[in-house]
Amino acid sequence: MENKSRILGIPNRYFILLFIIIGVVLHFIVGVKALAPHVQLPAEVFSEGGFLTNTMVATFLADIIIILLAFGVYRAAKSGSLVPKGLSGAVEALVEVLYNMTEATAGKFAKNIFPFFATITLLVLVVNWMELIPGVDSIGLFQPHHVHVEEAAHAEDVHATETDAHTEEDAHAAEGEHGDESFYKYCSATSFLGLTAVGGTGGDHDGECSSAVVPFVRVASTDLNFTAALAVISVVFTQVIGVQALGAGYFQKFWYTKTLFSKPIFGVIDFAVGLLEIVAEIAKVLSFSFRLFGNIFAGSVLLFVIGSLVPVFAQSIFLMLEFFVGLIQAVVFGMLTMVFMSQATHSHHDDGEEHH
């Protein structure tokens, strides 16, 4: 069969081979080196005292992508075609699968639960897959910093005597007022001009200069604020669905005292179980938050490390792994939300229930 995977009439495999050759030439012949990965848990802020982080930028971009996908599906539905094709067809197939799962689990409450299930799944899926886009987590601003060569020696001597310690502190303070500023400018210049990628000394600048890239866009699910916010939304609206289905009786799940005096033994057990349900709801927030955050953050670190150690082609192998991890984590997050909401529509206590 003829291979139809072509760009400009050229088979895709030749483009892959071309990119591998370019990477080998740049790294091994030209000498372009990859910067050491800059890994930190909190999201980076672009300006001192500002509030806009690179994970917020990623969230805004994900919202725009979802809106464009919705617009594409809307246009495909209005076209009159019974068989949607391309990206709109894939999105429609995914949404249909999600709705069938919701209907099979939640029954008559599927229409109330499905919007939360689909929205969370699509948002987390788009956010997770953003780490597969070239430039995300890799294009940004240089953040030069330096480490003095004699810093370790000073640290050892500073504890010798209190007098010596105070003397060295004063010396460091005086040096910081003048030398650090010029050295910072030196590091900024060398990092910007590409004269040094991972270190260097020279002239009057007695220290090591290194750079880290603060990306313009960082995957939002590597920020615990994003995953925790989604977890809170999931847990809170689970309670809302429960109240819509059962009314005020839903709260008997947490505070059941009807049998506390008529059947003391079983009443105490039911009351204790209700308190455990409160703990379980709080634990869901932690479970949701750290499961998604841990998996995606670990995947991003893996891509950073592989890309810096073997900058030619090796990282591409792990991109397929992250493709499936992002998909699985999005479906798991949405499905757990859907299951918990479905469970909230069922009463935990029956007025006619008898304990045996």
Side-chain angles (χ1 to χ4, degrees):
M1 294 180 64
E2 183 181 356
N3 184 13
K4 296 184 179 180
S5 299
R6 296 171 175 267
I7 300 177
L8 301 176
I10 304 175
N12 292 348
R13 59 180 177 270
Y14 292 117
F15 283 98
I16 297 175
L17 180 60
L18 175 63
F19 293 144
I20 294 176
I21 294 174
I22 292 175
V24 171
V25 170
L26 290 177
H27 182 69
F28 294 101
I29 299 178
V30 179
V32 176
K33 304 297 182 181
L35 288 175
H38 175 66
V39 179
Q40 69 175 52
L41 289 180
E44 294 88 354
V45 181
F46 290 116
S47 60
E48 186 176 354
F51 68 95
L52 183 64
T53 64
N54 45 17
T55 53
M56 293 175 62
V57 174
T59 305
F60 294 146
L61 293 177
D63 293 337
I64 294 174
I65 291 173
I66 293 175
I67 292 173
L68 294 177
L69 289 176
F71 182 71
V73 173
Y74 173 78
R75 289 190 58 183
K78 289 296 183 180
S79 65
S81 176
L82 299 179
V83 182
K85 300 178 181 179
L87 188 58
S88 60
V91 174
E92 182 176 339
L94 174 62
V95 171
E96 185 175 358
V97 170
L98 297 180
Y99 184 79
N100 291 337
M101 292 172 58
T102 309
E103 193 173 34
T105 304
K108 64 180 181 179
F109 296 100
K111 292 184 178 180
N112 295 334
I113 297 175
F114 173 71
F116 295 100
F117 181 22
T119 302
I120 289 177
T121 301
L122 289 175
L123 176 60
V124 176
L125 181 62
V126 172
V127 165
N128 290 350
W129 278 355
M130 286 186 71
E131 69 177 344
L132 308 179
I133 301 175
V136 174
D137 283 328
S138 60
I139 296 179
L141 298 174
F142 279 109
Q143 188 181 60
H145 53 89
H146 67 275
V147 179
H148 283 287
V149 175
E150 300 177 356
E151 185 178 4
H154 288 317
E156 292 179 0
D157 295 338
V158 80
H159 297 289
T161 59
E162 291 185 1
T163 305
D164 292 340
H166 287 295
T167 302
E168 291 194 10
E169 285 181 6
D170 295 339
H172 280 301
E175 180 184 352
E177 294 178 358
H178 304 285
D180 287 354
E181 182 178 356
S182 62
F183 189 84
Y184 182 84
K185 292 180 180 179
Y186 167 74
C187 284
S188 301
T190 55
S191 299
F192 177 76
L193 295 175
L195 298 179
T196 179
V198 295
T201 59
D204 298 330
H205 308 288
D206 187 15
E208 294 180 354
C209 178
S210 61
S211 297
V213 175
V214 177
F216 294 123
V217 181
R218 171 179 163 181
V219 179
S221 45
T222 62
D223 186 353
L224 193 57
N225 293 305
F226 174 80
T227 59
L230 274 184
V232 170
I233 292 173
S234 173
V235 172
V236 168
F237 278 95
T238 296
Q239 318 311 315
V240 172
I241 293 294
V243 172
Q244 289 178 347
L246 303 176
Y250 170 75
F251 294 105
Q252 291 183 359
K253 169 183 176 182
F254 308 108
W255 191 267
Y256 191 75
T257 59
K258 185 174 293 187
T259 59
L260 188 59
F261 299 102
S262 60
K263 300 177 180 179
I265 297 178
F266 296 108
V268 171
I269 294 175
D270 289 337
F271 182 76
V273 169
L275 297 181
L276 291 178
E277 289 287 347
I278 297 176
V279 176
E281 294 298 318
I282 299 175
K284 287 177 184 177
V285 176
L286 300 177
S287 175
F288 274 144
S289 303
F290 285 98
R291 180 189 294 108
L292 178 59
F293 166 77
N295 280 277
I296 305 304
F297 186 81
S300 295
V301 173
L302 175 64
L303 293 179
F304 294 159
V305 173
I306 295 298
S308 61
L309 293 178
V310 188
V312 179
F313 187 70
Q315 192 184 54
S316 303
I317 301 174
F318 293 90
L319 290 177
M320 185 58 68
L321 172 64
E322 291 306 308
F323 175 87
F324 288 107
V325 170
L327 174 62
I328 292 171
Q329 290 303 315
V331 174
V332 166
F333 198 110
M335 186 180 297
L336 287 176
T337 299
M338 182 265 293
V339 170
F340 290 143
M341 287 183 173
S342 177
Q343 291 177 346
T345 62
H346 301 285
S347 176
H348 283 228
H349 301 279
D350 190 354
D351 292 339
E353 179 181 358
E354 293 292 331
H355 293 283
H356 299 284

